[in-house]
Amino acid sequence: SRGLSSFRFLCKLTNMSVYVGIGLAMTASAMNATGMNLQRYGANIEKNATQRKDKTWGKRINILGVVLSIACGIVDFISYGFAPQSTLAPF
């Protein structure tokens, strides 16, 4: 956690923390959209699969989408440490 605190200190010196927060919030939004699309794509593969191998790929893609959506929440939470909520609300 020492690295994160020194990064925050550097951001405060250069007034860049708001921009870091905005960048993280935008990254979280993109991760969430990608994760949801991967989940849907994986479910469609599983539904239309004729072989067991295809169903396995569908499940893996679905799990990747879930992991990406969960990671999105963590990145979003971190973004609120760098920028105020009123700035990040539109993202």
Side-chain angles (χ1 to χ4, degrees), residues 61-73:
I61 291 173
N62 196 352
I63 290 171
L64 178 65
V66 170
V67 168
L68 207 57
S69 293
I70 290 171
C72 148

Side-chain angles (χ1 to χ4, degrees), residues 21-86:
I22 290 171
L24 287 171
M26 292 173 68
T27 302
S29 294
M31 288 170 62
N32 190 26
T34 304
M36 287 192 293
N37 281 312
L38 283 174
Q39 289 176 42
R40 183 174 182 184
Y41 181 65
N44 284 338
I45 288 176
E46 282 184 69
K47 185 175 77 172
N48 298 329
T50 57
Q51 297 178 354
R52 184 180 177 133
K53 181 179 177 182
D54 294 336
K55 286 187 179 185
T56 303
W57 274 109
K59 287 181 183 182
R60 288 180 182 174
I61 291 173
N62 196 352
I63 290 171
L64 178 65
V66 170
V67 168
L68 207 57
S69 293
I70 290 171
C72 148
I74 295 169
V75 173
D76 200 25
F77 178 74
I78 292 171
S79 72
Y80 286 106
F82 290 100
Q85 183 180 4
S86 59

